[in-house]
Amino acid sequence: MPNFVMSYLGSTVTPGEAGNQFWALIYVLIIFTGVSVAVIAMNWIERKALAHFQVRLGPMRVGPHGLLQPFADALKLMLKEDIIPAAADQFVFWVAPLIGLLAAFTVYTVIPFGPSQAVSDMNIGILFMLGVSSLGVLGIVVAGWASNSHYPLIGALRSSAQMVSYEVAMGLAVVSAVLMTSMNEKGTGTLSMIGIVQAQQQQGVWFIFKFFPLGFIAFVIFSIAMIAETNRAPFDMAEAESELTAGYHTEYSGLRWSLFMLAEYAAMIAVSSIAVTLWLGGWMRPFANLLHAPAWDFIFSLFPGLTFGSLAAIAFVGVTRMPAHSFFKIQRIGLAVFAALLGFIALLLLAIAIVGRSADASLAARFNEGIDYVYWFVLKVAVFMYLFIWYRATWPRYRFDQLMRIGWKVLLPISLGVLVVTAIVGVIVS
Amino acid sequence: MAEITTLHYLVVAAALFVLGVIGVLTRRNVVVVLMSIELILNAVNLNLVAFSRMWGNLHGQVFSIFITVDAAAEAAVGLGILIAFFRNTETINVDEIDLLKW
Amino acid sequence: MNPGMNSAFNSGMAPVATPFFFYMLSGLAIVGGLLVITRRNAVHSALALIVTLLAVAGLYLMLYAPFVAGVQIIVYAGGIMVLFLFVIMLVNIERSSKERRFNRMWPVGLAAACALMALFVSAFVKGRALFPDRMMSLPESSNTQQIATMLYGEAGRMGQYTFAFEIASLLLLVAILGAVIMTKKKI
C-alpha cells in the first residue's frame, strides 16, 4: 500500500495538519455521506415525531413505519419537472441554491468530531465557521430576488434582516465562550475548534457550567439565535406558509428545492455542532474528569454498541407488534432485516470496544477511541436536532416586529452584559 | 512558474484599484458606485497585507482591519443616504443628483 | 507506518501549488471586479463583488493573514454584501436596469482612470528595485494573538493601536446613528 495511505494511521493530528491530502479527502467524503444520511434520517424523524406530537401516525405506507418515505420523496423530487419561471433571472435562479449548499457544507471542514477526527484544524476555526455559515443568507436573499415574485421577495427580505440581526447576539455569545478558553495560567485563548474543546478538557468543566450561570446564559442566547439563523420555527418568518406560501423558495421545484432543504438541514447540524463544541464539551463523554478510571472508560465505551442494541430491540418489538395479516408480510420481513442490521452494528461496536480495551495502543484501541469521540459528539448534536423538532411542534410563530424586538432589545443587551461580566469574573478569578 | 513575490500582489491590487476607480467615475447607479468604492478599499487592504508579509511584521494587517471597519461604516452611511434620497426623488442615478437644495 | 513519511509527502506537495492558487485567486478577483463595473443589473454586480471578496480573502490566507481573511469573510461577504443586496431590493431596480449604464461624463472618467493606471505602471516599472524578491515568513499560528496584542496591549501595557481602536469604535457608533437618522422617516 502506498506510503501516504498508511503513514497517517496512528497519527494524532487531523489530516489537514499532517498535510495528508489523501486522508483529508477520505474524511471529506465520510462527512459528506454522513451529513446526507443524517439529513435523510432527520426528514423521517421529523415527520414521525411531529405526527406523534399531534397524535397522528405520520408516514406509514412506504416501508415499515414509513422508513422508506425519505427515499420515495427524494426519488419524486429528482424525477419532478424543474420549473424556472419565465420572468426569473435565469443565472441567479440557478446559482442561488448552490450558494446556500456550499456555505452549509464548507463549514464541516473544521467541525471537530474528535481530537484528530476533523478534516482540518484552522487556528481561526470559530471565526471561519461563523463567517461561512453567514454566507448562507446570500443564497436565500438571491433566491428570493431571482424568483421575480412577491412572496419570495418578502421572504428573502425578512430572512436577511432576521439573520443579520441575530448574528450579532450569536457572535457576542460565542465571544464570551472564547473568552473562557483564555482562563488558564498563561492566559492564552484560542479560536481553533479543537483548541476550544481541549481548553474545556484542561479546565475540567464544560463551558455551560463555567461561572454558573454566565456560561449557561450565553448558551441559551446562542441556542435561541441559532434557531433564528437557520430559519426554523418559531422564527420561520422567511417561509411562513400561512403568510407567504413558502417564502423564498416558493418558485422552486424538484431538485433545486431539495437542495434548499438539504442546505437548511445541513446548516441546522452545523450550528448545533458549534453549540456542542463551545459549551457542551465537544467529543468529551459526560463526567470525563470525575470518573476517569480505566473501568469507567470501558463502561462508557460500551455506550455506542448499547445504543444500537436498544434501537435494534425497538425495531424487533415493532416486528412483533405488526398486524398478523398477509398484507404486512413484506413489511415485517423488511423491518426484521433492518433490526438485524442494527443488531449487527451493535455487536460490531461492542466487539471493537472489548478488543480495543485489551490491546493497548493498537489500531483497534485507536479505532475504539475514535468511535467513542464521534459517538458522544453525534449524540449531543442529535439532542439538538430533536429540540429543533420539539420547538416546531410546540411554539407558535412570532410576528416579525416581535422577532426584531427580541433580537435587538433582549438578546443583544443580555449577551453584551454576559460578555462584560464574564471578563470581569475572569480577571478576578485569575 | 516563478515564485510569487510582493510585486505580484501589488499588481493585482493595482488592477482592482483601477477597476474600482473606473466604476466610481463612469457608472450611474449609486449602488454600483458604492460597490466600486468597496473594491478600491479591498485593493488598499491587499496592498497593506502584502507589505506586512514583505516586512515580516503585523502593522499592515492591523491597518487593514481598521480599513475594514471604515468600509463597514461607509457602506452603512452611504446606503442610508441612498435610501433617504430614493424616498425623496424615486431615482438612484448619480447624474440626477444635481440639486443643490431640495 | 512511519510518521516521518508525512513530512516528506507534505514537502513534496504543498509548495508546488502556490503559484497556481495565486493566479487562480487573483484571476477570480480581477474577473469579478470587471463584472462589478460592467454588469447592467446591480444584483449581478453584487454577486461578482462577493466572488472578488472571497478571492481576496483567499489571497490573505496565502499571505499568512488568517485573521484578516476571517474578518474579510464575516464583515464583507456576510455583513456588508447582505446590506447591499437588501438595499438593492428596497429601491426600484426594474426601471434603472433598462436605462443606460454609464453616466454622461464616462469618457472623462475612463480617461482619468487610464491615466491612473499609467501612473501605476510607471511606478512599478521604475520602482521595481524597491521590492525584495523574497518574502519574510510570518508566524501563522499565533497571528490572531499578535494582532490582539497590538490592538489591546499586554497585561499592564497599552497596545500600539489601542487609541486608534477606540476611535474606530466611535466611528462605528457615529455611522450607526447616522444611518438610523438618515433612513428613519420620523424621529
Side-chain angles (χ1 to χ4, degrees):
Chain A
M1 201 166 291
N3 249 326
F4 58 87
V5 178
M6 296 308 288
S7 64
Y8 177 69
L9 298 174
S11 161
T12 51
V13 291
T14 59
E17 278 173 294
N20 197 325
Q21 282 87 345
F22 174 77
W23 276 98
L25 185 67
I26 297 272
Y27 275 27
V28 166
L29 289 178
I30 291 174
I31 291 174
F32 186 78
T33 320
V35 171
S36 305
V37 169
V39 169
I40 289 171
M42 185 66 191
N43 186 343
W44 180 80
I45 293 170
E46 179 162 20
R47 294 177 68 171
K48 276 311 242 196
L50 271 182
H52 286 292
F53 275 120
Q54 297 161 352
V55 205
R56 328 180 252 119
L57 283 176
M60 284 300 273
R61 295 302 174 97
V62 190
H65 288 271
L67 270 173
L68 296 177
Q69 186 70 44
F71 298 99
D73 284 351
L75 197 67
K76 180 200 80 176
L77 285 171
M78 272 182 236
L79 296 177
K80 220 172 168 179
E81 187 190 356
D82 193 359
I83 300 165
I84 298 183
D89 190 311
Q90 307 278 328
F91 173 71
V92 180
F93 193 83
W94 179 80
V95 89
L98 296 181
I99 296 175
L101 199 67
L102 271 178
F105 274 97
T106 309
V107 165
Y108 285 93
T109 46
V110 290
I111 289 180
F113 293 93
S116 65
Q117 281 77 12
V119 176
S120 183
D121 181 29
M122 286 182 148
N123 53 354
I124 50 158
I126 187 74
L127 209 61
F128 178 83
M129 277 200 82
L130 286 179
V132 174
S133 60
S134 71
L135 292 185
V137 67
L138 291 173
I140 291 175
V141 173
V142 157
W145 177 82
S147 302
N148 203 354
S149 158
H150 291 230
Y151 287 140
L153 189 64
I154 295 171
L157 282 175
R158 281 183 177 189
S159 87
S160 59
Q162 171 184 342
M163 285 166 96
V164 168
S165 36
Y166 274 76
E167 232 160 56
V168 183
M170 195 173 178
L172 284 170
V174 166
V175 169
S176 76
V178 170
L179 199 60
M180 286 177 179
T181 63
S182 67
M183 313 259 163
N184 53 15
E185 296 82 39
K186 280 186 291 177
T188 50
T190 178
L191 288 173
S192 131
M193 298 290 275
I194 289 180
I196 289 168
V197 181
Q198 279 166 346
Q200 302 181 44
Q201 214 161 6
Q202 277 157 16
Q203 300 181 16
V205 60
W206 293 1
F207 283 158
I208 186 173
F209 300 119
K210 179 133 180 148
F211 299 150
F212 195 82
L214 289 178
F216 184 72
I217 297 173
F219 169 74
V220 169
I221 288 167
F222 186 90
S223 43
I224 293 171
M226 85 188 191
I227 303 166
E229 277 294 295
T230 47
N231 286 319
R232 292 281 303 180
F235 301 126
D236 58 344
M237 233 64 54
E239 42 196 284
E241 58 275 344
S242 52
E243 305 163 24
L244 299 177
T245 55
Y248 60 89
H249 53 62
T250 305
E251 302 288 348
Y252 280 82
S253 59
L255 193 61
R256 265 177 244 277
W257 182 85
S258 69
L259 290 184
F260 271 119
M261 285 296 111
L262 187 60
E264 182 183 329
Y265 281 94
M268 277 160 64
I269 300 175
V271 287
S272 308
S273 321
I274 302 183
V276 166
T277 309
L278 285 175
W279 283 282
L280 293 178
W283 63 77
M284 281 194 284
R285 63 176 168 81
F287 310 113
N289 290 76
L290 211 61
L291 315 169
H292 62 280
W296 283 111
D297 282 344
F298 176 65
I299 288 171
F300 277 106
S301 72
L302 290 178
F303 268 67
L306 294 179
T307 308
F308 273 93
S310 48
L311 285 179
I314 292 171
F316 270 121
V317 171
V319 174
T320 58
R321 288 182 59 193
M322 281 254 178
H325 189 272
S326 61
F327 178 76
F328 288 96
K329 196 176 167 193
I330 291 181
Q331 296 217 348
R332 280 173 78 170
I333 296 173
L335 194 56
V337 169
F338 185 64
L341 194 69
L342 286 175
F344 176 72
I345 295 174
L347 287 178
L348 200 68
L349 289 173
L350 286 175
I352 288 173
I354 290 164
V355 172
R357 181 212 181 197
S358 58
D360 255 356
S362 70
L363 207 61
R366 192 173 136 67
F367 202 60
N368 179 29
E369 216 178 37
I371 285 176
D372 270 8
Y373 293 142
V374 175
Y375 170 77
W376 288 110
F377 192 90
V378 170
L379 187 72
K380 289 168 188 172
V381 172
V383 170
F384 273 97
M385 292 288 107
Y386 182 73
L387 286 178
F388 272 118
I389 302 172
W390 195 352
Y391 298 154
R392 181 173 167 184
T394 307
W395 284 326
R397 185 178 298 127
Y398 278 82
R399 221 169 51 215
F400 192 66
D401 59 320
Q402 291 173 329
L403 175 95
M404 282 294 155
R405 200 171 64 217
I406 295 170
W408 288 105
K409 292 190 178 167
V410 180
L411 292 185
L412 183 60
I414 294 178
S415 57
L416 261 176
V418 165
L419 180 59
V420 171
V421 176
T422 309
I424 292 170
V425 172
V427 168
I428 291 171
V429 166
S430 63
Chain B
M1 280 189 271
E3 202 177 340
I4 305 301
T5 58
T6 312
L7 201 62
H8 287 79
Y9 287 98
L10 295 191
V11 169
V12 174
L16 284 178
F17 192 95
V18 170
L19 284 175
V21 170
I22 294 175
V24 170
L25 291 180
T26 60
R27 289 297 300 253
R28 290 180 84 213
N29 192 330
V30 178
V31 180
V32 178
V33 169
L34 286 173
M35 282 195 246
S36 304
I37 294 175
E38 300 295 331
L39 214 54
I40 292 174
L41 291 171
N42 256 280
V44 175
N45 265 356
L46 188 56
N47 249 6
L48 285 172
V49 176
F51 281 133
S52 139
R53 171 93 192 272
M54 185 173 112
W55 295 115
N57 62 33
L58 291 175
H59 294 274
Q61 298 189 11
V62 173
F63 262 81
S64 75
I65 289 171
F66 284 133
I67 289 182
T68 308
V69 171
D70 184 57
E74 173 255 315
V77 174
L79 293 173
I81 293 174
L82 172 62
I83 287 179
F85 179 73
F86 179 76
R87 197 179 284 141
N88 284 331
T89 59
E90 297 277 307
T91 176
I92 50 166
N93 291 332
V94 266
D95 47 7
E96 288 166 42
I97 309 177
D98 49 6
L99 286 177
L100 287 177
K101 195 179 168 196
W102 182 252
Chain C
M1 279 298 171
N2 182 3
M5 291 310 292
N6 268 341
S7 52
F9 178 69
N10 185 16
S11 61
M13 282 298 288
V16 173
T18 312
F20 168 73
F21 278 115
F22 171 79
Y23 287 115
M24 189 187 77
L25 288 173
S26 49
L28 266 179
I30 290 172
V31 169
L34 263 177
L35 290 177
V36 170
I37 59 170
T38 50
R39 289 298 91 191
R40 189 177 289 275
N41 194 322
V43 171
H44 291 189
S45 289
L47 284 178
L49 185 55
I50 290 165
V51 171
T52 302
L53 295 174
L54 292 179
V56 171
L59 288 176
Y60 291 160
L61 279 181
M62 293 184 63
L63 285 166
Y64 294 112
F67 185 74
V68 180
V71 168
Q72 168 98 354
I73 292 176
I74 286 192
V75 175
Y76 267 114
I80 296 178
M81 290 323 292
V82 176
L83 193 64
F84 268 106
L85 284 169
F86 197 87
V87 168
I88 291 170
M89 284 171 203
L90 280 183
V91 299
N92 185 10
I93 286 299
E94 298 297 323
R95 192 170 62 88
S96 67
S97 64
K98 291 185 186 69
E99 294 176 344
R100 58 181 210 285
R101 246 173 296 181
F102 302 108
N103 59 28
R104 272 176 246 122
M105 308 286 273
W106 71 268
V108 183
L110 200 62
C114 286
L116 187 69
M117 192 163 68
L119 183 70
F120 280 149
V121 169
S122 69
F124 282 143
V125 169
K126 291 206 170 137
R128 193 164 186 150
L130 283 174
F131 305 113
D133 272 350
R134 298 197 61 85
M135 290 179 146
M136 306 263 203
S137 60
L138 288 167
E140 194 181 2
S141 54
S142 57
N143 175 274
T144 313
Q145 242 168 54
Q146 287 179 345
I147 287 180
T149 314
M150 291 179 102
L151 283 181
Y152 308 114
E154 283 155 305
R157 197 173 63 81
M158 232 170 67
Q160 209 169 348
Y161 293 101
T162 305
F163 190 64
F165 187 78
E166 297 301 329
I167 301 266
S169 66
L170 209 64
L171 172 73
L172 274 182
L173 181 67
V174 172
I176 292 170
L177 288 178
V180 169
I181 288 170
M182 212 82 73
T183 47
K184 198 116 174 148
K185 279 179 193 139
K186 272 192 302 215
I187 305 277

